[in-house]
Amino acid sequence: MAKAGPAAERVVRAGAELADEIGFDQVTPSELARRLDVRTASLYSHVKNAHDLKTKIALLALEELADRASAALAGRAGKDALTAFADAYRDYAVQHPGRFAAAGFRLDAEAAAASAGVRHLQMMRAILRGYDLDETQQTHAVRLLGSVFSGYVGLEAAGGFSHSAPDSQESWTEILGALDALLRNWPAPS
């Protein structure tokens, strides 16, 4: 049985650091054991298996990202809040590419409900209430924003924007402006 506590937290943090270096998909208990210079079997007192290790890294990433987004949102509304939230995601992805990938790891329903993913949704809905969207429109907008942020960050990380002008920051700023305009003029439900 996997133990909780400081040692388990250190194992998960080491796994997250490894994910940033080699990619989240490449993180395995045996690779982490090599990094920590321990036997793989000794890791199993802290994680059940590879899926459990990845789940714990994902939960850590979601928590870190929620903390950053929350701090960025403090005292902001409207376009400023949208931009701060988006920039927090983009900055985290640049600084922690493996953890950002981990934040998208599919969690089981129980883990997802107890995760900081709930805070992400609450923050996005709080931003969207400033645009006077009803609950159904908010759901569509949450999905749109998540898709744009993830897609842009993924393409940017893969070098998709590095071979042409304007630079990616200029495009990012334009895209956030376009999203703000869309949210302010979201079509009424049909």
Side-chain angles (χ1 to χ4, degrees), residues 128-149:
L128 294 171
R129 280 192 296 276
Y131 288 97
D132 199 28
L133 301 179
D134 69 27
E135 192 170 329
T136 300
Q137 292 169 320
Q138 286 179 23
T139 300
H140 298 313
V142 164
R143 292 172 180 170
L144 170 69
L145 295 175
S147 298
V148 171
F149 300 163

Side-chain angles (χ1 to χ4, degrees), residues 133-134 137 182-190:
L133 301 179
D134 69 27
Q137 292 169 320
L182 170 66
L183 293 169
R184 280 187 280 110
N185 298 294
W186 194 274
S190 46

Side-chain angles (χ1 to χ4, degrees), residues 87-179:
D87 286 345
Y89 271 70
R90 185 173 176 227
D91 292 346
Y92 187 80
V94 168
Q95 293 167 4
H96 300 290
R99 294 180 210 204
F100 187 77
F105 185 65
R106 186 179 183 107
L107 301 172
D108 65 49
E110 185 177 328
S115 77
V118 174
R119 286 177 53 208
H120 292 264
L121 178 60
Q122 290 168 339
M123 286 184 279
M124 287 184 90
R125 286 193 180 272
I127 292 167
L128 294 171
R129 280 192 296 276
Y131 288 97
D132 199 28
L133 301 179
D134 69 27
E135 192 170 329
T136 300
Q137 292 169 320
Q138 286 179 23
T139 300
H140 298 313
V142 164
R143 292 172 180 170
L144 170 69
L145 295 175
S147 298
V148 171
F149 300 163
S150 269
Y152 194 90
V153 165
L155 289 169
E156 185 176 41
F161 308 133
S162 61
H163 303 294
S164 63
D167 73 0
S168 63
Q169 179 59 46
E170 185 177 337
S171 293
W172 180 250
T173 301
E174 288 292 317
I175 288 167
L176 294 178
L179 287 171

Side-chain angles (χ1 to χ4, degrees), residues 2-3 7 11-12 28-34 36 38-49 52-53:
K3 298 179 205 173
V11 166
V12 174
T28 63
S30 59
E31 190 64 40
L32 182 56
R34 275 192 286 282
L36 296 172
V38 298
R39 291 187 10 222
T40 303
S42 67
L43 285 183
Y44 291 118
S45 63
H46 303 295
V47 295
K48 296 175 195 167
N49 51 39
D52 185 47
L53 173 61

